[in-house]
Amino acid sequence: MSETTVPVTPVTPAASAAAPVVAESSTARGRRARIALRTLQVVLALFYVIASALPKLIAHPSAVEGFDRMGWGSAGMYTIGLLELAGGIALLIPVLQSVAAVALSALMVGAFVVQLTYFDGENAATPLILMIPLALIAWARRGHNADLLRLVRRRA
């Protein structure tokens, strides 16, 4: 096995503000944090794709009942299902990770309001709980936003 050496530069207060987050560090602690964050992203992606989007996209009776109760019908159900599917997949694409976490957080704000409004607060804590790891992912992967912006500007 070969080892790669990284030159050490002194850290000044101005440089520490621009220093990479722990999830990007090359230390053992940074590697563990990176692995933990990636694992969290995969678990959340699986949740959004399998447990949340799939029942809506296959019109599972429980999803149909909930959307009919809200008066949104199948169009609303399929729309939310597609948004969750896209967000779950985007959590796994490096350049989209942070944006996907923010978008899914916004979707969870809507889910929280819907739970309070139409379902008397039943399961209202679930979207709030999901927002915590999504906020962590959005913050930790925020460096990818500059890459995404460069891609968008290049195509425009």
Side-chain angles (χ1 to χ4, degrees), residues 49-153:
V49 170
I50 296 171
S52 194
L54 187 63
K56 294 171 184 79
L57 296 175
I58 65 169
H60 190 271
S62 64
V64 171
E65 177 188 337
F67 279 87
D68 283 344
R69 187 171 165 191
M70 292 184 293
W72 292 13
S74 62
M77 179 179 66
Y78 290 127
T79 301
I80 299 297
L82 284 172
L83 289 171
E84 290 174 341
L85 177 66
I89 293 169
L91 277 175
L92 303 176
I93 301 171
V95 75
L96 298 175
Q97 295 167 347
S98 180
V99 172
V102 171
L104 285 170
S105 293
L107 198 61
M108 291 302 97
V109 169
F112 174 72
V113 171
V114 164
Q115 290 295 328
L116 289 179
T117 307
Y118 292 102
F119 300 104
D120 300 322
E122 181 183 336
N123 300 323
T126 303
L128 294 177
I129 292 168
L130 288 169
M131 285 173 61
I132 295 168
L134 288 170
L136 174 67
I137 292 167
W139 179 80
R141 302 296 193 197
R142 70 191 181 279
H144 292 291
N145 291 341
D147 299 334
L148 180 60
L149 190 57
R150 273 192 295 280
L151 283 172
V152 170
R153 283 184 179 160

